[in-house]
Amino acid sequence: MVATKRKRRGDLAVQAKKPKRNEKDAKSLSKSPVKAEEVEEEERDCIPGPVCKGKWKNKERILIFSSRGINFRTRHLMQDLRMLMPHSKADTKMDRKDKLFVINEVCEMKNCNKCIYFEAKKKQDLYMWLSNSPHGPSAKFLVQNIHTLAELKLTGNCLKGSRPLLSFDPAFDELSHYSLLKELLIQIFSTPRYHPKSQPFVDHVFTFTILDNRIWFRNFQIIEEDAALVEIGPRFVLNLIKIFQGSFGGPTLYENPHYQSPNMHRRIIRSITAAKYKEKQQVKDVQKLRKKEPKTILPHDPTEDVFVTPAEKKTIEIQWVKPEPKVDLKARKKRIYKRQRKMNQKVNSGNAK
């Protein structure tokens, strides 16, 4: 049979030319069995690396970016999340004037179906959007107590690009809105299996804990020796505001009744300090009025002198003679020392003559 080479268009078949053998190729073929044996011996000694034999099926891609006006801590947190999630993509900062529905188009252009968007307001408040683009649902959080990897300097460490375990609080299964958030967090933070940029190792854990009506995020390293946990970072707290049916909008599925906006929190703090100042001023005014009031003179009570015992009167002695002066011992010692010194000098001068 002759080897044939088919063209993509048309049914014509073209015969493939046989490659010509040179003298160099003939020599290399004669030496090839010796080289093959050496290669086999080297392969036996070396340890094979982890080979990805599976197929990449879960095509989750996360877009992580922010609006303009974020501070340095938010920027570092965003970079830490991109480093921990190998299936994430980055984009330029979005202008504040643009509406949030534009993010769905950005996700479509970047070929991403999930999004983490950081929205900064007043250069001090940070909001995080977790969205399933373009159909929803989406959740809006207030981010508090941010601590980045560079700031914490913890002892934990993990391989870059390794797949994490996700640990959730049992309270996520008790309420419906928490179970919805659990599914959204699983789809966003779990690295797909056999992802090209991921490593086939599991050496750290993402923990999501519910405490004080907030979600606390932590990242821990798994130590192989005794299965202990050492924190790596970053860490932050998510305070849920609302859950929407659509992506970055739509009907509200859940609204947190325990949520208090940062503006209201700052207003309460200012009102407490103002109340303290007003109370101090009122106390000062009362003290001034008391000083201006006329003093009430009470009549003399005759029973006051019942327990008063008269003291014995001492006779006053007048000294008519001048007292003798006190002897100054220090001056006396100095005079004696000077005399002795003069005497010694005279004796020394006589011996010298």
Side-chain angles (χ1 to χ4, degrees):
M1 291 293 290
V2 181
T4 59
K5 191 175 182 181
R6 291 185 179 180
K7 288 185 176 180
R8 290 185 181 177
R9 295 179 184 177
D11 299 331
L12 296 174
V14 181
Q15 291 183 355
K17 294 181 180 179
K18 291 183 179 180
K20 294 180 180 180
R21 289 185 178 180
N22 300 329
E23 294 178 358
K24 294 180 180 178
D25 296 338
K27 291 179 181 178
S28 62
L29 287 170
S30 62
K31 295 179 181 178
S32 59
V34 180
K35 289 182 178 179
E37 290 177 359
E38 292 177 357
V39 171
E40 286 178 2
E41 289 178 358
E42 289 178 357
E43 286 179 354
R44 286 173 192 169
D45 298 335
C46 69
I47 299 169
V51 180
C52 179
K53 295 181 180 180
K55 190 177 180 182
W56 178 31
K57 293 181 181 179
N58 184 10
K59 304 283 183 172
E60 294 283 349
R61 296 182 183 89
I62 316 299
L63 181 65
I64 302 176
F65 72 118
S66 68
S67 65
R68 296 194 180 277
I70 60 171
N71 54 7
F72 70 96
R73 187 174 278 111
T74 308
R75 187 174 67 253
H76 290 179
L77 175 64
M78 202 163 50
Q79 290 172 358
D80 294 342
L81 289 177
R82 287 172 185 166
M83 188 169 56
L84 290 172
M85 300 162 68
H87 60 297
S88 63
K89 290 186 177 182
D91 195 25
T92 56
K93 294 179 183 177
M94 199 177 78
D95 197 0
R96 293 180 187 176
K97 296 178 182 178
D98 296 338
K99 294 184 178 180
L100 295 176
F101 293 104
V102 181
I103 300 174
N104 295 324
E105 298 177 5
V106 177
C107 290
E108 189 178 354
M109 286 189 292
K110 289 281 183 179
N111 196 17
C112 296
N113 51 2
K114 299 289 186 297
C115 180
I116 299 176
Y117 175 66
F118 292 95
E119 185 181 7
K121 290 185 178 179
K122 294 188 176 181
K123 295 185 178 180
Q124 55 185 344
D125 303 330
L126 181 65
Y127 298 91
M128 179 194 282
W129 285 84
L130 300 179
S131 175
N132 181 20
S133 179
H135 303 294
S138 60
K140 186 180 181 182
F141 300 91
L142 175 68
V143 188
Q144 298 172 327
N145 300 338
I146 300 171
H147 298 282
T148 60
L149 281 170
E151 183 184 354
L152 286 174
K153 294 181 181 177
L154 295 169
T155 56
N157 195 5
C158 67
L159 185 68
K160 187 177 179 181
S162 59
R163 300 178 65 230
L165 293 173
L166 299 183
S167 173
F168 288 91
D169 197 300
F172 275 96
D173 299 326
E174 295 175 0
L175 298 173
S176 58
H177 63 278
Y178 279 135
S179 59
L180 176 63
L181 289 175
K182 179 181 177 180
E183 186 62 31
L184 188 63
L185 291 169
I186 287 170
Q187 293 183 14
I188 290 175
F189 284 93
S190 62
T191 304
R193 196 178 182 188
Y194 303 124
H195 191 276
K197 292 184 180 179
S198 67
Q199 298 288 341
F201 301 102
V202 178
D203 59 353
H204 62 288
V205 187
F206 290 162
T207 61
F208 298 92
T209 312
I210 296 173
L211 183 66
D212 195 18
N213 298 312
R214 290 169 174 82
I215 299 173
W216 300 66
F217 174 85
R218 294 288 185 274
N219 180 21
F220 293 98
Q221 177 195 357
I222 304 170
I223 300 174
E224 295 179 0
E225 296 174 358
D226 53 354
L229 298 178
V230 180
E231 190 171 357
I232 305 170
R235 58 165 74 161
F236 54 87
V237 180
L238 298 176
N239 190 0
L240 179 63
I241 302 172
K242 282 183 181 181
I243 301 175
F244 299 97
Q245 186 177 352
S247 179
F248 296 98
T252 304
L253 298 178
Y254 175 78
E255 186 173 358
N256 187 8
H258 306 287
Y259 171 71
Q260 188 181 59
S261 66
N263 292 332
M264 182 62 69
H265 181 67
R266 286 190 287 267
R267 182 182 175 185
I268 290 169
I269 291 172
R270 284 197 300 269
S271 63
I272 290 168
T273 53
K276 287 181 180 178
Y277 178 74
K278 285 180 181 178
E279 189 177 354
K280 287 181 181 179
Q281 290 296 116
Q282 287 175 0
V283 170
K284 287 181 180 179
D285 294 339
V286 170
Q287 288 176 354
K288 287 180 181 178
L289 290 173
R290 282 180 182 175
K291 287 179 181 179
K292 290 180 181 179
E293 288 178 359
K295 294 180 180 180
T296 56
I297 300 170
L298 296 173
H300 179 68
D301 190 3
T303 59
E304 285 181 357
D305 302 331
V306 173
F307 298 101
V308 175
T309 55
E312 295 180 358
K313 291 183 178 180
K314 293 182 179 181
T315 56
I316 300 169
E317 295 181 359
I318 300 170
Q319 191 174 1
W320 298 99
V321 182
K322 185 179 179 182
E324 295 180 359
K326 292 181 180 181
V327 179
D328 193 358
L329 296 175
K330 288 184 179 180
R332 191 174 178 182
K333 284 180 180 180
K334 283 182 181 179
R335 286 196 295 270
I336 293 166
Y337 177 71
K338 281 182 182 180
R339 286 174 192 168
Q340 288 177 356
R341 207 161 109 192
K342 286 180 181 178
M343 291 292 292
N344 291 332
Q345 285 177 359
K346 286 179 181 179
V347 170
N348 290 333
S349 61
N351 293 332
K353 289 178 180 180

